[in-house]
Each structure stands twice: as C-alpha cells, then as structure tokens.
Amino acid sequence: MIVNEDQEIKRELYKSYLILVRNLYKQSEPDRVAPKIGAIRKRFLFGSIMFLAFAMESFINDFGKRYVEDFEDFEKIESLNKFLLFPKIAKTNPTTIVKKSESTYAALKLLFRYRNYFVHYKPAFRNTSTNDERLYTELDHKKVEDLYKGMVRLLRLFNNHFLMFTGGDDWIIGYPDDINAGT
C-alpha cells in the first residue's frame, strides 16, 4: 500500500493476492488423517488459482497505469494480451518481456484459461473428456506449484527490466517462488 502526501491511497492488491494463493494452497494439502485431496481440499486449489489470476491481472493493470501512456485506452484489452503489449509500449525502456514461444506465455495462457473457466462456468452436463472438464479434473498441487513459480518469476522479469520494486518496495526480490517455502 502506498500513501502520498494528499492522503490518496494505492493498494497493490497483487501482493495480498499472492499471500492468499499460498494460504489457500496450504489448506488444500492432504495430510496423514486425510491423505487424498477430496472435494473440499480441491476447492482450496481452485481458490488459489483464482487469486493467482487476480494477482497477475492486478499487477499488469498497475504496470499499465504506471508505465503505459494513455493506459485508459488499453484498459479493456484481455489481460493475457496486456502482458504481451504493455512492456513493448512502456514510456521508458520499452522491451519484450513475454514471448508467445516461451514457457512463460504458456503458463500465463493456462492460468487465464483456468480463470475464465471458473469465472464464466456454465453448469451443464458434459462429457468429462472435454478440454474444459479436463482443466477441472487435472488441476492438482503440481500444476498450482508450477503456475505460482512461473508467475513470481514473471514478476521478477518485469522488476529486473523496469526496476519497479526498488527502495523500500523491493519485496519481489526476496519473495519465494516456491509456494511451499516457509512451511
């Protein structure tokens, strides 16, 4: 959270969302008493995916507001495309951070597929072998761990190039990309 002299406040929600991702993930972990994931624990994984998507959407909008001229003209662009476009049109030091041919893009794309699946889900009977239903059934701890690690690394790529988190706000440098760190 940043407060300026005029008592305006800017909440960098993506930081809180990343913490929620880790908390929800930890609540989903099987233990000795209940070694299988089960429906209740799987819901925590869904929550962790949603908050990870929220974190990335919040981040790219914050980046756009800070670094993109006339951000409001681009605000309605799909979040995945913002990650491709915004670094290229940044006011200072424009560059390509995300390339479609790299694993970072594939991870972002998968994350936003999950987000769209959960946000825009339409209840209906459907074959369990459809792509959408496989998203649901194949979501597991490994997938969440990989997506989390990829997104934290992506934030670091932005920071390394644009020096977004410097001074007293360099939290991403020491932030763990291992979702299990500190457990």
Side-chain angles (χ1 to χ4, degrees):
M1 171 173 53
I2 300 171
V3 179
N4 72 12
E5 295 173 7
D6 298 327
Q7 295 303 307
E8 291 178 341
I9 193 163
K10 178 181 169 209
R11 299 186 193 284
E12 294 171 313
L13 288 176
Y14 49 92
K15 296 175 186 178
S16 296
Y17 291 152
L18 286 175
I19 292 167
L20 283 167
V21 171
R22 291 179 76 200
N23 290 343
L24 288 167
Y25 175 85
K26 288 174 188 173
Q27 290 179 352
S28 74
E29 292 179 324
D31 55 27
R32 287 184 200 159
V33 177
K36 301 214 185 274
I37 189 166
I40 293 171
R41 288 198 169 117
K42 190 137 186 174
R43 287 183 205 131
F44 288 118
L45 280 182
F46 301 151
S48 64
I49 285 291
M50 289 304 300
F51 279 106
L52 187 55
F54 294 167
M56 299 311 290
E57 288 182 270
S58 175
F59 168 79
I60 199 60
N61 287 330
D62 181 49
F63 177 87
K65 185 71 174 163
R66 290 165 66 180
Y67 292 93
V68 174
E69 192 77 38
D70 299 321
F71 165 70
E72 294 76 19
D73 295 338
F74 301 102
E75 198 169 2
K76 298 295 181 193
I77 293 174
E78 185 179 290
S79 293
L80 183 60
N81 291 326
K82 289 178 185 178
F83 277 94
L84 296 170
L85 177 64
F86 285 2
K88 292 179 186 178
I89 63 171
K91 293 182 260 190
T92 58
N93 207 10
T95 191
T96 298
I97 299 286
V98 178
K99 296 178 183 172
K100 283 188 173 184
S101 61
E102 294 177 348
S103 62
T104 306
Y105 179 79
L108 268 170
K109 190 173 180 178
L110 179 59
L111 178 65
F112 288 119
R113 273 190 69 208
Y114 274 112
R115 178 223 175 265
N116 292 338
Y117 174 79
F118 292 129
V119 170
H120 302 291
Y121 185 78
K122 294 178 180 49
F125 287 104
R126 61 179 64 113
N127 189 307
T128 56
S129 64
T130 63
N131 287 336
D132 282 347
E133 289 307 308
R134 277 198 303 272
L135 273 179
Y136 181 90
T137 56
E138 293 175 2
L139 181 62
D140 61 11
H141 288 90
K142 175 79 171 112
K143 202 162 280 189
V144 173
E145 289 170 13
D146 291 345
L147 287 171
Y148 179 85
K149 183 175 285 199
M151 297 307 105
V152 171
R153 288 181 177 168
L154 180 57
L155 294 175
R156 284 199 187 112
L157 287 173
F158 271 82
N159 184 56
N160 291 343
H161 185 79
F162 291 100
L163 303 176
M164 298 176 64
F165 311 113
T166 57
D169 193 28
D170 59 358
W171 66 277
I172 195 64
I173 295 166
Y175 195 82
D177 63 2
D178 179 358
I179 200 166
N180 293 300
T183 59

